[in-house]
Amino acid sequence: MKKTFIILFAFICSYSTANSQTHDTLYNFTGYLGGGYAYNVASFDYEFDGLNRGGFQGYIRVMWQPEYELRGGLEFGYTSVYSVEESDIETVNGTTDLNTNVYAYPLMLVFSMSIVKNWEVTIGTGFGFSVVKNEAFGESSFSSDAASTSMISTGYYFPVGKDTRLGGEFRFTALPKYDDYLITLSLSFAYKFLEY
């Protein structure tokens, strides 16, 4: 097993060296703006009639590309986790409609690499600030919490200008504290805004 890890490490090092940029290539910062449809694939203890697993996910990512193909950066985003709408619920205080919306704001340290031209693979880990909003009896209540989150994504980008690219991204996001797992298909825009 140890020998396998050594071989894998040597392969990654040789790949990174072989695919490094030429000496006249500038370092750069690239910004990404993406958004799309997220679907919660987690299993629920109870399937509410008004359960909606789908929703919007969006993000802003800034990546720094140094001499080698491995890039690093930060990503901040918003993702819907799930929502529940139930009508005519009987309680001790009377009948009411209940609307629950669960969403999160992930903040992650991310790394990416181009496997082949225009195709990128990105991984990230950080914190997700989860928010639960409940509406019942004409009043709203909020609760929030922070917990670990991680993601892995793959995207393909078409050049549309000297410094701009447009593409699609497929990702898997984990919010393990509450056993929520999301898959997302999104449209993404990339812009190289600084070279030095």
Side-chain angles (χ1 to χ4, degrees):
M1 189 70 150
K2 186 176 180 181
K3 191 173 184 180
T4 304
F5 283 119
I6 293 173
I7 293 170
L8 182 61
F9 179 75
F11 173 77
I12 292 172
C13 288
S14 63
Y15 178 85
S16 297
T17 303
N19 288 277
S20 64
Q21 302 176 29
T22 57
H23 291 294
D24 59 349
T25 300
L26 299 174
Y27 298 166
N28 68 71
F29 283 92
T30 301
Y32 294 77
L33 178 65
Y37 181 75
Y39 186 81
N40 193 328
V41 296
S43 60
F44 289 77
D45 294 333
Y46 177 73
E47 291 283 345
F48 296 96
D49 292 335
L51 176 64
N52 180 12
R53 295 172 175 264
F56 176 76
Q57 184 179 81
Y59 60 87
I60 297 173
R61 183 192 308 152
V62 177
M63 301 296 290
W64 174 62
Q65 182 168 351
E67 183 178 356
Y68 297 97
E69 291 296 330
L70 183 65
R71 307 165 190 142
L74 290 173
E75 178 179 300
F76 178 73
Y78 164 90
T79 183
S80 173
V81 180
Y82 66 88
S83 62
V84 178
E85 293 184 8
E86 291 190 285
S87 301
D88 301 325
I89 300 173
E90 296 288 342
T91 71
V92 294
N93 296 318
T95 303
T96 186
D97 296 336
L98 174 64
N99 295 321
T100 299
N101 190 12
V102 181
Y103 50 95
Y105 297 97
L107 177 62
M108 291 182 284
L109 181 65
V110 291
F111 298 94
S112 72
M113 178 179 281
S114 291
I115 303 300
V116 295
K117 187 176 181 181
N118 298 328
W119 181 31
E120 298 179 2
V121 174
T122 305
I123 60 171
T125 185
F127 289 94
F129 301 92
S130 299
V131 179
V132 179
K133 178 183 178 183
N134 290 305
E135 295 181 359
F137 293 105
E139 295 185 1
S140 299
S141 63
F142 292 86
S143 63
S144 60
D145 194 9
S148 65
T149 185
S150 59
M151 72 89 173
I152 182 168
S153 71
T154 181
Y156 193 86
Y157 290 87
F158 299 92
V160 293
K162 180 177 178 293
D163 296 319
T164 57
R165 294 176 294 146
L166 186 66
E169 184 173 292
F170 178 79
R171 73 162 57 192
F172 174 81
T173 305
L175 299 163
K177 183 172 182 178
Y178 300 107
D179 294 326
D180 288 305
Y181 304 96
L182 310 170
I183 56 173
T184 306
L185 186 61
S186 61
L187 187 66
S188 183
F189 175 77
Y191 174 63
K192 183 168 63 177
F193 61 89
L194 178 64
E195 286 185 332
Y196 66 96

